[in-house]
Amino acid sequence: MHRMSFALINPATEERIAELEEAGVEQTDEAVARARAAFEGWRNVAPTDRARLLRRLATLVEEHLEELARIESQNVGKPIGGARAEVGMVAQVFHFYAGAVDKHYGETIPVGGGVDLTFREPLGVVGLIVPWNFPLNIASWKLGPALACGNTVVLKPAELTPLSALRLAELILDAGIPEGVVNVVVGPGRIVGQRLVEHPDVAKIGFTGSTEVGRGVMAGAAATIKRVTLELGGKSANVVFADADLEQAAAAAPYAVFDNAGQDCCARSRILVERSAYDRFGQLLIDATRNVKVGDPQDEATEMGPLISAQHRETVASFVNGEPLFRGETPLGKGFWFPCTLVEASNDDRIAREEVFGPVAALIPFADEADAIRIANDTPYGLSGSIWTENGARALRVARALDAGVLSVNSNSSVRPSTPFGGVKQSGFGRELGMHALDGYSEVKNVFVAT
Ligand code: NAD
């Protein structure tokens, strides 16, 4: 069968960087068959050996950090410094799950008439579907726990950004992980992704992407009662109280939105500010946003690169109507650039309700703590968020009241290899990272032995 080829573009230069053949249903089925054939072998590898192989993979990622960071930077348009940090996290994630292999075990439960045991069994073949914004990072969040639990994998990267996953697949073999344990299939979501969702031999789908596609994945998985983990969109709040260290909050706020050019599910794109501090914070925020260095991703000083594609830039632009509070500068000429943009809004405006996935933040005033909580929760999403206050009791009170899976106080940070990550409401369900992710890639089996 003739296979279509497609070109990959560097979003900063609009140059072609690679040409690949597109896989279809047939290649997806072959990959599932290979993963299925490898499953019995992989699940029976002694835990210490599985841990050793994952540790070797982590070390290989460290040794190839610069190469992987360059690939990611060129393919996604990420600033090279940020790309290095992301690849560094990939290595940490594999180290973490290497350490977790022999620390995730069953129990004995007191019962009458015998002994009762639980086992943590792998699920089988898992389909991992990944978006284009953090291609290697998000792949590792799924691969780590999936492999640690003894599953085999078919990984489907986003069509726009498959290069780092393809290189990782080579490193996985170099690490000594047997052939067939991890299979990468590059092709369109509606063909390859959908086939994985429907395939009777795929036990679970670990999906990260938009809420819209996630809804279809969940519906499609129903036919075979597949397990799903859904990491979807967000519209997170950055809640700034008047009693916060306003300088610190304002200095951090741009990076909570403009990092990865706003193409971040955790972007705190609604900046809620207590009315009594609104004018002062607004001025500090404009000053901090003006300092964000936008430009060539290969330049070590660059903090923000272009958007992923011309089409995506059009979508982002459609959110900004009228004169914004602040609009930054971008390089001229080639590249899918979009400036850092701040707009004043009400929480009912489209800009405050829908995920922009670009460097656009909405500033929204609030009256008091109760009003802040009401506005922050008035969204169909519930992924992340930040709370800025010097009042420790208030920080905990508000953290408990917010509908979100991942919060930070006086910080923007959302992800660490050892801590659980995921959403509530229409941001999805299931947890990645930390020991919690292992629950999503294993099943508890109970065995009663009559004595
Ligand atoms: P997307 O939903 O368009 O695509 C995600 C993946 O799903 C891609 O690999 C795509 O090919 C595949 N896909 C598309 N159609 C499919 C189908 N019918 N069946 C199965 N798979 C299909 O998302 P995107 O544009 O690549 O990424 C941006 C979105 O991802 C944003 O909404 C963002 O918030 C979200 N995201 C969420 C998290 C999180 O952890 N919550 C992290 C990063 C990105």
Side-chain angles (χ1 to χ4, degrees), residues 67-296:
E67 180 198 350
L68 290 164
R70 295 262 164 214
I71 293 174
E72 205 80 320
S73 172
Q74 278 193 3
N75 198 174
V76 191
K78 282 177 191 294
I80 186 66
R84 282 193 199 109
E86 285 174 31
V87 178
M89 186 186 180
V90 170
Q92 285 177 34
V93 167
F94 289 136
H95 276 303
F96 179 86
Y97 287 107
V101 170
D102 56 5
K103 294 170 194 67
H104 184 240
Y105 39 69
E107 326 147 90
T108 59
I109 301 173
V111 292
V115 177
D116 194 277
L117 309 163
T118 64
F119 294 88
R120 300 275 189 167
E121 303 287 10
L123 304 175
V125 178
V126 297
L128 308 181
I129 303 178
V130 170
W132 48 259
N133 58 339
F134 295 101
L136 200 59
N137 231 293
I138 291 176
S140 75
W141 302 358
K142 300 180 193 309
L143 281 167
L147 296 176
C149 290
N151 302 282
T152 56
V153 170
V154 178
L155 170 66
K156 195 208 93 59
E159 302 89 298
L160 293 172
T161 58
L163 294 178
S164 54
L166 291 170
R167 184 67 185 107
L168 183 71
E170 294 172 344
L171 296 179
I172 285 171
L173 292 176
D174 293 347
I177 293 173
E179 255 179 65
V181 171
V182 177
N183 307 270
V184 179
V185 184
V186 178
R190 58 177 199 291
I191 297 172
V192 173
Q194 193 163 323
R195 179 62 186 155
L196 286 174
V197 169
E198 289 167 358
H199 202 298
D201 287 341
V202 174
K204 182 226 165 91
I205 296 288
F207 175 85
T208 300
S210 59
T211 294
E212 191 189 343
V213 175
R215 205 170 274 130
V217 167
M218 193 169 168
T224 48
I225 316 290
K226 262 185 198 51
R227 283 97 191 103
V228 285
T229 300
L230 299 175
E231 299 287 357
L232 309 176
K235 193 72 207 175
S236 299
N238 196 357
V239 185
V240 182
F241 287 97
D243 64 13
D245 179 334
L246 293 183
E247 274 83 13
Q248 199 198 348
Y255 301 96
V257 193
F258 306 133
D259 192 36
N260 212 38
Q263 304 164 122
D264 182 343
C265 54
C266 290
R268 277 82 161 149
S269 55
R270 291 184 300 148
I271 306 179
L272 276 47
V273 188
E274 192 162 359
R275 208 180 289 280
S276 59
Y278 186 82
D279 289 341
R280 172 133 187 278
F281 181 83
Q283 194 50 54
L284 289 168
L285 179 64
I286 290 173
D287 294 344
T289 304
R290 192 174 280 123
N291 288 334
V292 175
K293 293 188 187 62
V294 183
D296 179 6

